[in-house]
Amino acid sequence: TQLLEQSPQFLSIQEGENLTVYCNSSSVFSSLQWYRQEPGEGPVLLVTVVTGGEVKKLKRLTFQFGDARKDSSLHITAAQPGDTGLYLCAAHRNSGNTPLVFGKGTRLSVIA
Amino acid sequence: NAGVTQTPKFRVLKTGQSMTLLCAQDMNHEYMYWYRQDPGMGLRLIHYSVGEGTTAKGEVPDGYNVSRLKKQNFLLGLESAAPSQTSVYFCASSYGRKNYGYTFGSGTRLTVV
């Protein structure tokens, strides 16, 4: 059973459009992380959300942690080609005593 | 500031051959991890270490061994490579266990023929 379900799997949009990707689970997490991975590189941490209902902004990226701490979303405003990549969410099983488990990711392509 | 360095970047092995992947970090991180990334499967944890001299199994440990003789290095060994081990391997490190972000290397692309 996949701990973290990410949707959509693939997304192709035009430059300037807005988009939202989702990370869902039936489990409750103490925190959740988002990473972006570009081709040929390792994932790079974007943000960690800790509190239920928390909203964090990173320039045009807005991250939200669900009130029940079971899900999270990433919203990108006015997408640019540089946003292209694989977006991964990750969380710990068992209240943080084990390493991160990753979702399968959303592959985003922003076309100029 | 190098972060996490993986060597080699690419390798082709014949079935049955052995090899060692090296991961080195210069951030004085306590925790280190080996993941493999396959299409449609995402990142899956192979082995990890919570400190020098310690190792533990992850989700997919079969066919791999690891060693953490020095804090800054984490080695992943394949004793007898199989085509099913064709993958991209990522090493990562973190300062702490919980709520700390992972720093990843740029990966090793391994093909077993």
Side-chain angles (χ1 to χ4, degrees):
Chain A
T1 303
Q2 189 75 11
L3 180 67
L4 297 165
E5 297 284 349
Q6 291 193 243
S7 60
Q9 275 188 282
F10 302 94
L11 189 56
S12 181
I13 62 169
Q14 294 291 127
E15 182 177 3
E17 292 183 353
N18 301 333
L19 66 115
T20 303
V21 298
Y22 301 92
C23 176
N24 296 304
S25 179
S26 57
S27 300
V28 176
F29 302 112
S30 59
S31 66
L32 189 141
Q33 298 179 6
W34 284 93
Y35 291 77
R36 179 169 66 207
Q37 184 179 16
E38 298 185 14
E41 297 295 329
V44 175
L45 178 69
L46 295 174
V47 77
T48 300
V49 286
V50 179
T51 305
E54 180 178 7
V55 176
K56 280 192 173 179
K57 292 193 175 185
L58 189 66
K59 296 183 181 179
R60 293 175 293 99
L61 278 60
T62 301
F63 304 85
Q64 183 161 9
F65 201 14
D67 290 342
R69 291 184 286 122
K70 291 183 177 182
D71 52 79
S72 181
S73 63
L74 159 58
H75 180 81
I76 301 179
T77 303
Q80 298 176 2
D83 296 326
T84 293
L86 179 66
Y87 289 83
L88 298 161
C89 64
H92 295 281
R93 292 183 194 272
N94 303 327
S95 301
N97 292 324
T98 54
L100 285 174
V101 173
F102 287 80
K104 294 182 179 180
T106 292
R107 190 168 296 281
L108 172 66
S109 177
V110 182
I111 303 164
Chain B
N1 189 0
V4 176
T5 303
Q6 291 185 234
T7 53
K9 293 191 182 302
F10 303 92
R11 185 74 187 267
V12 178
L13 282 181
K14 293 183 178 180
T15 297
Q17 287 185 321
S18 63
M19 78 164 294
T20 300
L21 282 67
L22 174 62
C23 176
Q25 53 98 0
D26 62 0
M27 297 169 287
N28 201 34
H29 283 174
E30 203 66 38
Y31 299 82
M32 296 187 75
Y33 316 88
W34 276 106
Y35 287 85
R36 58 178 289 175
Q37 188 173 38
D38 303 288
M41 301 297 291
L43 281 162
R44 292 180 293 168
L45 182 68
I46 305 171
H47 285 281
Y48 64 102
S49 169
V50 300
E52 182 179 315
T54 75
T55 63
K57 293 181 179 180
E59 180 186 356
V60 288
D62 294 343
Y64 305 96
N65 57 76
V66 288
S67 65
R68 182 102 182 266
L69 298 180
K70 292 184 179 180
K71 185 177 184 178
Q72 62 268 34
N73 296 336
F74 195 27
L75 279 62
L76 178 70
L78 286 73
E79 290 187 347
S80 179
S84 60
Q85 294 178 304
T86 293
S87 186
V88 181
Y89 292 86
F90 287 100
C91 176
S93 69
S94 66
Y95 180 76
R97 189 192 291 265
K98 184 177 174 181
N99 294 348
Y100 289 90
Y102 288 11
T103 301
F104 281 84
S106 57
T108 295
R109 183 173 293 275
L110 175 66
T111 301
V112 183
V113 298

